[in-house]
Amino acid sequence: PLVGKTYDNIGGLHFKKGEYDKAIQYLEKSLAIRLKALGAEHPSVAANYNNIGASYDGKGEYDKALGYYEKSLAIQLDALGAEHPSVATTYNNRGLAYFKKGEYDKAIGHYNKALAIQLKKLGAEHPLVGTSYFNIGAACKAKGDKAKAMVYLLKAKAIYLKKLGPQHPNTKAVQSWIDDLK
């Protein structure tokens, strides 16, 4: 399992550099080791599927990404339960892939699932809650519902200001989206 973790870490570094094909190569090596050592239902295997999905998302292969996210979600729901923060992350990732595909209603549905978990488990002022509000606002804007978008973006901004401060990149990004709606 430690070798699998090492491959996972190397894959993560390639992901951060935007080298998605190399990331996938290392993440698949990690996955093979973890499947053999830990079994198909282990949360670390779910994490691998999520990371591979994110790499395909980075390549613009959203359907492949969604397939990996679905595998991750199935394991997480079974192993961790429906209200675990990792489940929220996977719902968010699925929402992002649907957003990029232009399927905004599906994206909003997944963002709302993530938000419900985050509110319950992390609290109303957690920055990840702000991210979910931001994502919902972005999807509403993309659908042309500027009023609803503004409501969610302002919620995100309030959390970011309180928890991250006015100079944080998330705060500045949400402010830019708000300014664009005015």
Side-chain angles (χ1 to χ4, degrees), residues 18-51:
E19 298 170 349
Y20 302 118
D21 288 324
K22 284 186 180 180
I24 291 167
Q25 289 174 358
Y26 282 97
L27 293 169
E28 286 178 345
K29 288 178 183 181
S30 174
L31 176 63
I33 291 168
R34 287 178 169 172
L35 282 168
K36 185 174 181 180
L38 303 173
E41 299 301 316
H42 195 277
S44 292
V45 171
N48 260 110
Y49 284 135
N50 226 333
N51 292 341

Side-chain angles (χ1 to χ4, degrees), residues 5-111:
K5 178 66 176 164
T6 301
Y7 280 129
D8 186 63
N9 289 340
I10 294 169
L13 291 173
H14 284 292
F15 177 85
K16 287 182 180 181
K17 291 173 64 178
E19 298 170 349
Y20 302 118
D21 288 324
K22 284 186 180 180
I24 291 167
Q25 289 174 358
Y26 282 97
L27 293 169
E28 286 178 345
K29 288 178 183 181
S30 174
L31 176 63
I33 291 168
R34 287 178 169 172
L35 282 168
K36 185 174 181 180
L38 303 173
E41 299 301 316
H42 195 277
S44 292
V45 171
N48 260 110
Y49 284 135
N50 226 333
N51 292 341
I52 293 169
S55 296
Y56 278 111
D57 188 297
K59 289 179 62 169
E61 296 182 33
Y62 307 121
D63 289 328
K64 276 190 178 180
L66 286 164
Y68 280 99
Y69 294 148
E70 187 62 33
K71 289 178 182 182
S72 177
L73 185 61
I75 295 168
Q76 290 171 333
L77 288 170
D78 195 46
L80 304 173
E83 296 181 341
H84 193 278
S86 293
V87 172
T89 298
T90 302
Y91 281 131
N92 181 67
N93 290 348
R94 287 179 58 83
L96 289 169
Y98 280 119
F99 179 86
K100 291 173 185 176
K101 287 181 68 170
E103 297 182 31
Y104 304 121
D105 289 327
K106 285 184 180 180
I108 290 169
H110 283 83
Y111 294 148

